[in-house]
Amino acid sequence: MSDKLIQFEIPASFIEARARLTPRELHYGFRNDWISDKGVVQLAMGNIVNEIEPMQTVESLSLLLSDELYKVRDLIDGLVSDEIGVWVYLTVAWVCENPSAFDDDPFKTIEMLYADFDYPTAMEPFIPFMPPPADSTPGIAGLEQRLREYLTGCWEQYHVARSPE
């Protein structure tokens, strides 16, 4: 039995339209029951990419000038693989696009995902009980706006940036 507050399976077709996964991300999604055996095979047939982010970080580090060494601390975290980030995005996107499967209250389900993923900072701007970021729109309109911005940014990060040119 899972100790998660919420669990559901995401179809491979949904994932393909929103993200290109690294092998580690595919493994994480399967091991955490976000994707089926059949979905893994479908994604493996054409949706897997090499892990390019660490090499981009290495390149950025190698190009730092002596007066930019203060950037090392932030950049070095890019060398660690983050399999969870794409699954936070995909699960939130699934909830938002299928609200009727979640009692038409996506924010309640998103709060449960927030706990299940161990409270990722990326989700804080659209968690109803968290204070809104400074200079942002308050209330449900602000939550919805920040959620849309998050989904758009993740789509660009996990799909657009990883797609072959």
Side-chain angles (χ1 to χ4, degrees):
M1 182 163 157
S2 175
D3 60 344
K4 293 181 180 179
L5 296 174
I6 186 137
Q7 184 65 52
F8 48 86
E9 192 173 284
I10 303 173
S13 59
F14 184 88
I15 295 168
E16 285 177 321
R18 285 157 189 80
R20 293 178 46 91
L21 304 178
T22 66
R24 289 180 193 215
E25 292 166 344
L26 182 66
H27 175 264
Y28 180 90
F30 178 72
R31 288 292 180 204
N32 286 278
D33 299 320
W34 294 115
I35 186 164
S36 69
D37 299 357
K38 183 179 178 183
V40 167
V41 173
Q42 182 178 337
L43 291 168
M45 289 176 22
N47 197 55
I48 304 302
V49 296
N50 290 328
E51 295 188 64
I52 56 175
E53 288 88 358
M55 290 313 298
Q56 289 173 338
T57 301
V58 168
E59 182 180 346
S60 295
L61 286 166
S62 72
L63 296 173
L64 288 178
L65 301 174
S66 60
D67 64 339
E68 297 177 312
L69 295 178
Y70 64 92
K71 295 179 182 179
V72 169
R73 191 168 300 280
D74 291 331
L75 285 171
I76 202 75
D77 290 336
L79 295 176
V80 179
S81 182
D82 173 22
E83 296 87 21
I84 294 174
V86 72
W87 289 101
V88 170
Y89 157 59
L90 289 168
T91 56
V92 169
W94 180 255
V95 168
C96 289
E97 292 190 32
N98 298 280
S100 62
F102 304 99
D103 297 328
D104 289 317
D105 188 358
F107 285 106
K108 181 179 177 184
T109 305
I110 289 170
E111 284 183 35
M112 288 188 275
L113 289 170
Y114 182 58
D116 285 345
F117 282 112
D118 200 25
Y119 310 100
T121 304
M123 293 180 75
E124 289 177 5
F126 53 88
I127 298 299
F129 63 82
M130 296 296 290
D135 298 326
S136 68
T137 305
I140 193 71
L143 286 171
E144 290 171 346
Q145 175 189 1
R146 291 187 295 277
L147 178 56
R148 282 190 304 276
E149 290 169 356
Y150 168 77
L151 293 172
T152 300
C154 286
W155 183 78
E156 290 172 1
Q157 177 183 355
Y158 295 117
H159 190 275
V160 175
R162 292 180 173 183
S163 294
E165 295 181 48

